[in-house]
Amino acid sequence: MRIDLHTHSFVSDGTDAPADLMREAKAAGLDVVALTDHDTAAGWPEAQRAADEVGITLVPGMEISTRLGSASVHLLAYLLDPVHPPLVAALDRILDGRNGRVPAICAQLRAVGVDVTEEDVRRSAGDAAATGRPHIADVMVATGAVGSRDEAFAKFLNPGRPGYVRRYACPLEEAIGLVGQAGGVPVIAHPWGRAPGALTEETLAGLTAIGLRGLEVDHQEHSPQARQTLRGIARNLGLVVTGSSDHHGTGKVDHDLGCHTTDPDEYERILALATSAPSTGSAAAPRRG
Ligand SMILES: [Zn+2]
Ligand SMILES: [Zn+2]
C-alpha cells in the first residue's frame, strides 16, 4: 500500500484542481492520499468525489500556519471536523492575515523596482481560498522579474528579503489543541525543514504532552541525517512517523507525488488516533478569500 499524506491543490498554492490531483495520485500508483491545503478544507468535497470515482482513499487534511516564538511552523492536521467553530475562527483569522498582506508586499516590491500590482496577483490566485506569496511569485515569473517561484522567495519574499511582510499565524500550542478538540490528528510538517533550530527534542516532548501526535520525517527538505535523528526522537516520544511528497503540482520542483511515503502501520496509527468522523461533503463549505 502506497500512502502520501501531504499534497496541495490550487485551493491553496498548488497548481492542480483537487479532482485532478486525485486522478494524478491514482496514476502515480498511490492507494491513499491526503489533501492538505494551507488553512482550508475547501478542496475536500471535490477531492472526495474524484477519489471515489478513481478508487483511491482520500485522507481529509490541512496544513495550518502556526508560529512557535518567532519561528514559522507548519502543522498538518488529519481527519478533523472542518466546521468545529473555534477551529474555523482560527483558520479565518489566518486566511485574513494572508490576504491582508498582499497590498503591503506589492508596495514593498514596487519600492525596489519590481512592478507587481494587486490586480495581477488576484488574477493569478484564481480560485484559491487565500491569496499569498506563491501567487505573487507567479506574477513575478510571468513578468520575467525572476526565473522561478524559488528565486522569487529567495530574493524577495522570504523573511529578511525586501518584499517580506509579517502576518498572523496561530500559536503552535493553540493549533495543536484546536486540532485535537476537532477530533483530528496533529502532525508537524517538515519539522527541520525551514526552522531547524526551534524544534528541539525537549520542545517536541513538551508539545507531545499537550497533544502532538506525529512528525513528518521523510520530506524533501530533510537530509538523510536529519531523518535518522528525527526518527529516533519520534520513537522516544511515541510519535507517529510520516513521509510525504508535499506535492504542489508544477508549483514546486522535486516534490512528485509519492516521492516519499508513509508506512502503512503508521497510517493505521493515525486512523486509530482520530476521534471525529469528518464529513468531506458539503459541510466543508468553500471559503473564497
Ligand atoms: Zn509546509
Ligand atoms: Zn505543504
Side-chain angles (χ1 to χ4, degrees):
M1 186 158 65
R2 296 189 73 226
I3 303 160
D4 185 341
L5 292 180
H6 184 169
T7 70
H8 296 267
S9 75
F10 67 28
V11 169
S12 63
D13 56 347
T15 55
D16 301 313
D20 292 337
L21 187 62
M22 295 302 115
R23 290 181 200 114
E24 284 165 28
K26 177 74 180 179
L30 293 169
D31 304 290
V32 177
V33 65
L35 178 64
T36 53
D37 280 309
H38 293 285
D39 310 305
T40 180
W44 293 5
E46 180 186 322
Q48 185 64 64
R49 282 191 297 275
D52 291 343
E53 265 168 44
V54 300
I56 193 171
T57 300
L58 170 69
V59 178
M62 61 179 70
E63 185 176 20
I64 304 177
S65 309
T66 82
R67 62 173 173 76
L68 180 68
S70 60
S72 157
V73 176
H74 287 175
L75 184 69
L76 291 161
Y78 298 112
L79 300 159
L80 68 175
D81 173 7
V83 295
H84 178 66
L87 174 80
V88 170
L91 295 176
D92 279 350
R93 197 168 166 203
I94 294 167
L95 289 173
D96 287 346
R98 200 195 289 276
N99 290 323
R101 73 172 165 172
V102 168
I105 294 175
C106 290
Q108 286 184 204
L109 288 174
R110 285 195 296 272
V112 294
V114 180
D115 193 30
V116 177
T117 69
E118 287 167 55
E119 202 190 325
D120 291 340
V121 176
R122 308 265 176 230
R123 202 177 305 125
S124 144
D127 278 342
T131 305
R133 291 183 296 168
H135 307 115
I136 297 173
D138 288 346
V139 172
M140 294 167 76
V141 173
T143 61
V146 291
S148 66
R149 261 192 193 181
D150 285 347
E151 187 186 346
F153 274 86
K155 287 191 176 163
F156 295 101
L157 300 172
N158 278 333
R161 309 309 298 168
Y164 183 72
V165 175
R166 262 187 85 91
R167 70 177 165 95
Y168 174 75
C170 185
L172 176 59
E173 298 89 338
E174 187 184 323
I176 289 171
L178 287 169
V179 173
Q181 286 161 31
V185 183
V187 172
I188 295 184
H190 45 74
W192 289 357
R194 284 160 229 184
L199 294 163
T200 61
E201 178 159 2
E202 194 185 354
T203 302
L204 290 167
L207 295 169
T208 303
I210 61 163
L212 179 67
R213 295 292 184 227
L215 297 178
E216 185 181 54
V217 171
D218 292 304
H219 185 281
Q220 282 301 60
E221 290 175 13
H222 291 155
S223 68
Q225 181 62 51
R227 287 176 209 176
Q228 200 183 337
T229 309
L230 278 168
R231 219 178 288 281
I233 292 174
R235 199 181 309 119
N236 294 343
L237 299 177
L239 293 169
V240 173
V241 167
T242 69
S244 313
S245 65
D246 202 357
H247 184 68
H248 282 69
T250 57
K252 218 174 207 179
V253 291
D254 295 331
H255 289 260
D256 293 340
L257 284 165
C259 69
H260 297 290
T261 55
T262 296
D263 187 278
D265 291 341
E266 300 294 306
Y267 169 57
E268 289 297 331
R269 289 176 70 192
I270 291 177
L271 295 181
L273 286 164
T275 56
S276 86
S279 159
T280 49
S282 57
R287 181 181 187 280
R288 303 292 182 200

